[in-house]
Amino acid sequence: MKSTVEGSMVAERFDDGEKDKKKKRRSNRRAKQNPPSSSASEVNEAIGVSSECFEKNGTPTQTTGSFSNSLKQQGVNVSSSNEQGLSKASIVESVSTVLTHLNDRVEPVDMKNMQIHEGGIDPKLCLVPCSPMHLNAQRNYFSPHWSVEAVEKELEKGDVYKAVFHVNAHNKLEAYCKIEGVPTDILIGGVPAQNRAVEGDIVAIKIDPLPLWTKMKGVNGGSNNTEVRDGCNVLVEDSNVSDNNHGTSMHRSSLGQNKEESYQNSSPCRNYPFSEKRYIYEDNTAQGLANHLSLVALAGCDSNNGLHFEGSASLKINSGGGQSEVMNVVKQLCLLVNSFPSKRPTGRVVAIIERSPRRECIVGHLNLKQCGLFQDINKKDARKNKNFVSEHEYIQLLPIDPKFPNIKLLVRELPENIKRRLKSDDATIEMDLVAAQLDDWVGESPFPEGHILHVFGRGSELQPQLDAILFQNEICFSEFSPEALSCLPCLPWELPLKELKSRTDLRNLCIFTIDPSTAIDLDDALSIEKLPNGNYRVGIHIADASYFVLPDTALDKEAQLRSTSVYMLQKKLSMLPALISDNIGSLNPGVDRLAVSMLLDVTVAGEVVDRWIGRTVIKSCCKLSYENAQDIIDKAFDFERSNIYEDNYPKVHGHFVWPDVITSLKSLYEISNVLKRKRFTEGALRLNTPKIVILFDENGIPYDSMFSEQKESNFLIEEFMLLANTTAAEIISRAYPNVSLLRRHPEPNMRKLREFSAFCQKHGFNLDISSSGQIHWSLEKIKEKLNGDPVFYDILISYATRPMQLASYFCSGDLKDNEHEWAHYSLAVPLYTHFTSPLRRYSDIVVHRTLLATIEAEEKYLKQVAREVEVKNRCFTGIYFDKKAAESVEGKEALSAAALKHRVPSAKILGNIAAHCNDRKLASRYVKDACDRLYMWYLLKHQKVLLSEARIMGLGPKFMSVYIQKLAIEKRIYYDEVEGLTAEWLEATSTLVLSMSLNKRALRRGSPNKWRALSEVALIACPYDLKVTVDSSDQCDLEVDAMVSNTNQQHISISDSSVAEIEPAVFPLTVHLLSKIPVALHAVGGDDGPLDFGVRMYMSSYMW
């Protein structure tokens, strides 16, 4: 349950006077025996980080000598002796310059409270006994934050840096800040250095002097279980993945409507002088099914989730007279970092510039065990009545996201229904999921204060968990406002005659859609014609959502606020009202629809030689599912012999028949293959991570799961969508180079990429990392070699995603002087945007408006210069761009007038839109990952135990990391200090030997209460038993049936008893890196903590 936090130091209830005297006497005796602990240690204990945290996170606990000795031996640097090949004489001048600059305003270091060694701050400082914390003793736990004026001054000088604050999910004492232009993230180690910053804050940090920098994790390739921050394996670009939503105020009102548990009386935040901006970065990484992979060789991750999000407008270095000085300092810092690659730069937070939106939506469980009194009053009343709750008491909220601190909730400010439950001694209150807002964090308190916003319900139930997921990510699920709905056309809706006359009529083409079978928002369709010259005219038709969503209307504002549709497996939260997204705006078959079409003339070699783009009227003749299209591709569909309707094939509308559809689809498939080969030849990279699909019964209850598999029909659609997006990006960026909404994908983290290459090399595989294309072809060769081991290839792909950064939207004007940064690394194209999904992405609507403005400006310009509007004269949208025409007086006037008519945003507004779209897209992805995880947890909870084969991906003396393919996750098994288990680690060969030992406790030093039961580490079966019964920590018997499919089968049938049973391993167990071991998984948390998957070794022994 909450054993991980019960050891932390918390404010306890005042006892009677005699007990206070005894405690003072005991504390005095301890003070004589031990030197005073640092405030850093006390705060570390206070936030719930005990000594065990350091041991299990693998942080080094031994010093390598005193600080003075280190300086004497190494001069100005403290690099380890194994750093070779550096000419220190050649860089001493630069290093001295940087050190002088960095130390110019450094505050004196209290060496009593800090010990330096190669691993950083000595974690032994945190090993202090817990003691009552009297919060009325106004001591300062943190340094004061700098003033606004001081921060702005130092930012201009380059003495401090602005960065996003990210916390290590495995160890909250570690946080990381990314400085743009610096190759390594800055470590903010320890609570005092973090100085009350929380996950997602934008902070001002000051870099520590070089002697205080820590040793980079995993530098020497050691095997000591170094910690890796949590992350998500995501595709670097997926044009078909669903996206996101926003609407904080609306969401709050809808969530608590007509419920007494909803409280919106926010307390003022007194401690933050900077202006509040809510559109900045939000990183609430959910631990999705594709969890982090903690390979020892890749242990040195730079950010909290292994992925960087660059290009945020809010993180730019301040412009002005000091900009060149700032850039020089950044270059000098880069030189210093590159000169000492084994050192991790460290720093401290000096101010919080912008508070994270996550402060307003923290979800967790109430903890009545960690409570305290602020004043020494009402103690007699409390002793008389055990249910008495003082108005001067507080309780704590334990966040389910480990990156956030415990929050102090004053009893006097609790909602009345919570107070009643406390007074009635209702123990179930700890099982409820509760949402709170973090209000303030003063320097005199180790905990921030907050107040309750909402009570969702029991944590073990699906609906409260789903509500909490939406709340955490600020997803708006309320109905559309009456003002927004008033912008919709009336039903029945018919195609306006004006639009039919002004648009190009393409209803004579054989156009059809290909989507998931359950899709109802159809925003793209395809067509193809064979031309007399042998080329193909491919039609890509996209729903014209911008016709219905007019700029600056209430509907437009709400769509911008939501930004994206959110998909939750069984539910869709649409960006647009259903009348548009699912009806009149959707390209449904058999009805006239408005579209924006691209007609691209493509050669058999995949070259686009001509194009036309404009507003059209189309009529789709057929709605194909991916399965229908795949059957046609595989020639498994015989329309003459099949009973079409009984086989769930769709109806073909209009004057078209099935042969027309089949012929068109096969031609599109051939062209898509040519485009795909051409794209990868030119350097594109694809990283397909395994995905799991949850299956639901008719009541919406999950009952099974299976791996999803992308088929050729998926890739067919993907190729044409990528082509359309690239074409749109090229057109709008040339016509409006300063106000185009584009999408960039930065190059990967090269240090991590080199480490991944070294890992492949270690296992006999060559990985060329010189470009995205070379990585792709290297992985393809590795795949051929690993034909008999698909699991290991999946693991390699997961590792390959770790160095990749996130793709993001940006305003072209924000990077007008750095056009080389516009490129998309994984697609290997210089320009890219999103154009093909306007029914579910607001970014696409913005791109549509810019594209339509370009088309109209082109028509106006050609009329002004008395030219005929012919294909060869398309100066703005054609293959060849007429730059002279765009820069002429007539061209500028035409582009300006069209931009004004279609409300193309200014660069400043567009930058804000891009940042908000990035934020909501991430939130949508987190919602999807969290829902996948929730439903898998629910499945596992009802099946009790899942047996599976796992692959060891990280190994050391204290724990192993294992990859479980069936859930596509990696988990850890800790085997140090387990009663009845001996772990022998052979460093020379990186081998682990686990043996059962009946007398283990006597063989090791340490407190007996630190030893864990063997049943927490291993599920042990007796060979005589057909079923396995385990005595779990809650004294509940768990039966393990033969209910798991073989790992080589695609389908995971958790309830199928006919499949083969996983065989247990036996003691002594000898394992190496990449060894296979059987494991048993079970659901953890729900009522008593965050949802998680517990994993144990599955063993057999007669001794048990």
Side-chain angles (χ1 to χ4, degrees), residues 1075-1093:
S1075 294
K1076 298 178 182 179
I1077 63 168
V1079 295
L1081 295 104
H1082 60 278
V1084 176
D1087 285 338
D1088 55 354
L1091 305 184
D1092 202 358
F1093 302 102

mmCIF file of all heavy atoms in Angstrom, residues 1075-1093:
data_model
loop_
_atom_site.group_PDB
_atom_site.id
_atom_site.type_symbol
_atom_site.label_atom_id
_atom_site.label_comp_id
_atom_site.label_asym_id
_atom_site.label_seq_id
_atom_site.Cartn_x
_atom_site.Cartn_y
_atom_site.Cartn_z
ATOM 1 N N SER A 1075 18.920 -12.857 -21.301
ATOM 2 C CA SER A 1075 18.386 -14.181 -20.965
ATOM 3 C C SER A 1075 16.867 -14.130 -20.905
ATOM 4 O O SER A 1075 16.259 -13.094 -20.633
ATOM 5 C CB SER A 1075 18.933 -14.653 -19.619
ATOM 6 O OG SER A 1075 20.316 -14.883 -19.669
ATOM 7 N N LYS A 1076 16.239 -15.281 -21.148
ATOM 8 C CA LYS A 1076 14.789 -15.403 -21.040
ATOM 9 C C LYS A 1076 14.452 -16.015 -19.682
ATOM 10 O O LYS A 1076 15.077 -16.994 -19.264
ATOM 11 C CB LYS A 1076 14.235 -16.281 -22.160
ATOM 12 C CG LYS A 1076 14.478 -15.743 -23.557
ATOM 13 C CD LYS A 1076 13.943 -16.706 -24.613
ATOM 14 C CE LYS A 1076 14.231 -16.205 -26.013
ATOM 15 N NZ LYS A 1076 13.731 -17.148 -27.050
ATOM 16 N N ILE A 1077 13.462 -15.441 -19.017
ATOM 17 C CA ILE A 1077 13.007 -16.004 -17.752
ATOM 18 C C ILE A 1077 11.479 -15.959 -17.717
ATOM 19 O O ILE A 1077 10.864 -15.058 -18.296
ATOM 20 C CB ILE A 1077 13.574 -15.254 -16.526
ATOM 21 C CG1 ILE A 1077 13.079 -13.799 -16.500
ATOM 22 C CG2 ILE A 1077 15.084 -15.316 -16.477
ATOM 23 C CD1 ILE A 1077 13.366 -13.103 -15.182
ATOM 24 N N PRO A 1078 10.838 -16.919 -17.027
ATOM 25 C CA PRO A 1078 9.379 -16.854 -16.855
ATOM 26 C C PRO A 1078 9.031 -15.893 -15.727
ATOM 27 O O PRO A 1078 9.727 -15.826 -14.706
ATOM 28 C CB PRO A 1078 9.013 -18.291 -16.497
ATOM 29 C CG PRO A 1078 10.249 -18.841 -15.850
ATOM 30 C CD PRO A 1078 11.415 -18.163 -16.494
ATOM 31 N N VAL A 1079 7.978 -15.137 -15.918
ATOM 32 C CA VAL A 1079 7.550 -14.176 -14.909
ATOM 33 C C VAL A 1079 6.052 -14.297 -14.698
ATOM 34 O O VAL A 1079 5.319 -14.823 -15.537
ATOM 35 C CB VAL A 1079 7.912 -12.727 -15.304
ATOM 36 C CG1 VAL A 1079 9.412 -12.530 -15.364
ATOM 37 C CG2 VAL A 1079 7.254 -12.343 -16.615
ATOM 38 N N ALA A 1080 5.604 -13.795 -13.569
ATOM 39 C CA ALA A 1080 4.180 -13.726 -13.225
ATOM 40 C C ALA A 1080 3.820 -12.274 -12.967
ATOM 41 O O ALA A 1080 4.480 -11.598 -12.167
ATOM 42 C CB ALA A 1080 3.891 -14.578 -11.998
ATOM 43 N N LEU A 1081 2.808 -11.793 -13.655
ATOM 44 C CA LEU A 1081 2.371 -10.405 -13.493
ATOM 45 C C LEU A 1081 1.037 -10.354 -12.781
ATOM 46 O O LEU A 1081 0.187 -11.232 -12.950
ATOM 47 C CB LEU A 1081 2.265 -9.714 -14.849
ATOM 48 C CG LEU A 1081 3.555 -9.534 -15.620
ATOM 49 C CD1 LEU A 1081 3.622 -10.555 -16.750
ATOM 50 C CD2 LEU A 1081 3.664 -8.125 -16.175
ATOM 51 N N HIS A 1082 0.833 -9.302 -12.005
ATOM 52 C CA HIS A 1082 -0.441 -9.085 -11.329
ATOM 53 C C HIS A 1082 -0.692 -7.591 -11.218
ATOM 54 O O HIS A 1082 0.235 -6.789 -11.322
ATOM 55 C CB HIS A 1082 -0.439 -9.728 -9.936
ATOM 56 C CG HIS A 1082 0.622 -9.187 -9.022
ATOM 57 N ND1 HIS A 1082 1.933 -9.628 -9.066
ATOM 58 C CD2 HIS A 1082 0.582 -8.245 -8.055
ATOM 59 C CE1 HIS A 1082 2.649 -8.996 -8.164
ATOM 60 N NE2 HIS A 1082 1.863 -8.137 -7.539
ATOM 61 N N ALA A 1083 -1.941 -7.230 -11.064
ATOM 62 C CA ALA A 1083 -2.317 -5.823 -10.963
ATOM 63 C C ALA A 1083 -1.992 -5.290 -9.579
ATOM 64 O O ALA A 1083 -2.190 -5.963 -8.568
ATOM 65 C CB ALA A 1083 -3.807 -5.652 -11.258
ATOM 66 N N VAL A 1084 -1.491 -4.068 -9.541
ATOM 67 C CA VAL A 1084 -1.130 -3.412 -8.291
ATOM 68 C C VAL A 1084 -1.822 -2.064 -8.243
ATOM 69 O O VAL A 1084 -1.968 -1.386 -9.265
ATOM 70 C CB VAL A 1084 0.404 -3.229 -8.190
ATOM 71 C CG1 VAL A 1084 0.788 -2.456 -6.944
ATOM 72 C CG2 VAL A 1084 1.101 -4.578 -8.207
ATOM 73 N N GLY A 1085 -2.210 -1.643 -7.040
ATOM 74 C CA GLY A 1085 -2.785 -0.318 -6.857
ATOM 75 C C GLY A 1085 -4.274 -0.297 -7.127
ATOM 76 O O GLY A 1085 -4.943 -1.318 -7.192
ATOM 77 N N GLY A 1086 -4.788 0.898 -7.304
ATOM 78 C CA GLY A 1086 -6.223 1.092 -7.487
ATOM 79 C C GLY A 1086 -6.787 1.818 -6.285
ATOM 80 O O GLY A 1086 -6.845 3.051 -6.261
ATOM 81 N N ASP A 1087 -7.169 1.054 -5.276
ATOM 82 C CA ASP A 1087 -7.689 1.659 -4.050
ATOM 83 C C ASP A 1087 -6.584 2.209 -3.166
ATOM 84 O O ASP A 1087 -6.829 3.091 -2.344
ATOM 85 C CB ASP A 1087 -8.502 0.638 -3.251
ATOM 86 C CG ASP A 1087 -9.866 0.376 -3.874
ATOM 87 O OD1 ASP A 1087 -10.337 1.244 -4.633
ATOM 88 O OD2 ASP A 1087 -10.437 -0.691 -3.610
ATOM 89 N N ASP A 1088 -5.383 1.672 -3.301
ATOM 90 C CA ASP A 1088 -4.323 2.041 -2.369
ATOM 91 C C ASP A 1088 -3.099 2.642 -3.057
ATOM 92 O O ASP A 1088 -2.012 2.616 -2.501
ATOM 93 C CB ASP A 1088 -3.890 0.813 -1.552
ATOM 94 C CG ASP A 1088 -3.470 -0.349 -2.441
ATOM 95 O OD1 ASP A 1088 -3.622 -0.231 -3.665
ATOM 96 O OD2 ASP A 1088 -3.002 -1.354 -1.895
ATOM 97 N N GLY A 1089 -3.247 3.155 -4.244
ATOM 98 C CA GLY A 1089 -2.109 3.782 -4.897
ATOM 99 C C GLY A 1089 -2.246 3.787 -6.403
ATOM 100 O O GLY A 1089 -3.270 3.365 -6.959
ATOM 101 N N PRO A 1090 -1.207 4.258 -7.102
ATOM 102 C CA PRO A 1090 -1.248 4.323 -8.567
ATOM 103 C C PRO A 1090 -1.393 2.946 -9.195
ATOM 104 O O PRO A 1090 -0.926 1.941 -8.651
ATOM 105 C CB PRO A 1090 0.106 4.954 -8.925
ATOM 106 C CG PRO A 1090 0.603 5.585 -7.675
ATOM 107 C CD PRO A 1090 0.050 4.789 -6.550
ATOM 108 N N LEU A 1091 -2.028 2.904 -10.353
ATOM 109 C CA LEU A 1091 -2.152 1.652 -11.087
ATOM 110 C C LEU A 1091 -0.785 1.222 -11.586
ATOM 111 O O LEU A 1091 -0.013 2.026 -12.105
ATOM 112 C CB LEU A 1091 -3.092 1.821 -12.280
ATOM 113 C CG LEU A 1091 -4.491 2.352 -12.002
ATOM 114 C CD1 LEU A 1091 -5.307 2.352 -13.286
ATOM 115 C CD2 LEU A 1091 -5.187 1.545 -10.937
ATOM 116 N N ASP A 1092 -0.499 -0.051 -11.432
ATOM 117 C CA ASP A 1092 0.790 -0.558 -11.879
ATOM 118 C C ASP A 1092 0.681 -2.052 -12.111
ATOM 119 O O ASP A 1092 -0.317 -2.688 -11.759
ATOM 120 C CB ASP A 1092 1.871 -0.259 -10.840
ATOM 121 C CG ASP A 1092 3.272 -0.268 -11.451
ATOM 122 O OD1 ASP A 1092 3.391 -0.550 -12.659
ATOM 123 O OD2 ASP A 1092 4.231 0.001 -10.715
ATOM 124 N N PHE A 1093 1.731 -2.592 -12.729
ATOM 125 C CA PHE A 1093 1.819 -4.031 -12.959
ATOM 126 C C PHE A 1093 2.960 -4.582 -12.117
ATOM 127 O O PHE A 1093 4.118 -4.204 -12.323
ATOM 128 C CB PHE A 1093 2.070 -4.333 -14.442
ATOM 129 C CG PHE A 1093 1.021 -3.771 -15.357
ATOM 130 C CD1 PHE A 1093 1.251 -2.620 -16.085
ATOM 131 C CD2 PHE A 1093 -0.202 -4.393 -15.491
ATOM 132 C CE1 PHE A 1093 0.292 -2.085 -16.925
ATOM 133 C CE2 PHE A 1093 -1.183 -3.879 -16.328
ATOM 134 C CZ PHE A 1093 -0.938 -2.731 -17.042
#
